[in-house]
Amino acid sequence: MTHLVVLGLDNREDAERVFDLTGDLARQQLLQLQDAAYAWRDDQGKVRIQQAINLTGPGAASGALWGTLIGLIFLNPLAGLAVGAATGAVAGKLTDVGINDDMIKQLGQQLQQGRAAVFILARSATVDKVVEALKPYGPTIIQTNLTKDREEELVQALQS
């Protein structure tokens, strides 16, 4: 089962470090990460979001390939390339995989200025090692899809 954990942090820099840490933990196979993101409220009060998975580039590349092939059929590969790349980029940008973008934006709106949140979507984790890696950043649990008992255990582990 996939678990979502949203951690509150004191600032963007800590959120960025925790975001990077999730990738490191995944490479160490301590966390089977499906997606990660972080959100923060900037000095002007605008919510900013950084996501681990960005499908715009791959969509553009795929669209360019298919556009060129279709363009070859109709004897205009350059037009096919341009139209295919643009269509692929738009399709990639509109595709939502992993953590729901609307939920990230909604929780981001609730952040106080200067504060940040990290969103972690994982299949499994070596919980004790992941918790130990996160503790130095002093995260608070904002939201999870864990059972009440498991969520309380996580809160206690991060606080001790």
Side-chain angles (χ1 to χ4, degrees):
M1 181 175 174
T2 304
H3 299 289
L4 174 69
V5 176
V6 182
L7 303 171
L9 294 146
D10 291 334
N11 54 63
R12 176 189 175 187
E13 291 78 19
D14 282 350
E16 194 169 328
R17 287 184 193 104
V18 169
F19 178 78
D20 292 341
L21 178 64
T22 60
D24 293 342
L25 293 169
R27 283 186 286 284
Q28 295 173 35
Q29 297 184 358
L30 297 173
L31 184 65
Q32 283 189 354
L33 193 62
Q34 283 195 288
D35 194 10
Y38 68 98
W40 72 97
R41 189 176 286 275
D42 67 15
D43 295 335
Q44 289 78 36
K46 185 171 181 177
V47 175
R48 304 288 183 172
I49 298 170
Q50 176 68 43
Q51 294 184 301
I53 298 175
N54 183 351
L55 297 175
T56 303
S62 173
L65 174 67
W66 284 105
T68 302
L69 293 175
I70 292 169
L72 285 171
I73 293 170
F74 294 107
L75 302 176
N76 195 347
L78 290 177
L81 171 73
V83 171
T87 304
V90 169
K93 186 154 181 72
L94 297 177
T95 301
D96 189 16
V97 296
I99 302 169
N100 183 296
D101 291 348
D102 291 334
M103 185 194 74
I104 296 172
K105 290 174 188 170
Q106 189 176 45
L107 284 173
Q109 292 292 336
Q110 297 172 14
L111 292 172
Q112 295 174 356
Q113 192 164 329
R115 302 256 316 151
V118 175
F119 301 76
I120 302 169
L121 185 65
R123 252 183 257 143
S124 67
T126 307
V127 178
D128 58 336
K129 292 187 180 194
V130 171
V131 166
E132 285 303 313
L134 293 173
K135 269 186 186 182
Y137 301 98
T140 56
I141 303 295
I142 295 176
Q143 181 177 334
T144 74
N145 67 349
L146 300 171
T147 65
K148 185 173 176 79
D149 292 337
R150 295 285 303 204
E151 184 174 334
E152 287 174 9
E153 288 173 16
L154 181 58
V155 168
Q156 291 299 320
L158 287 171
Q159 291 176 350
S160 61

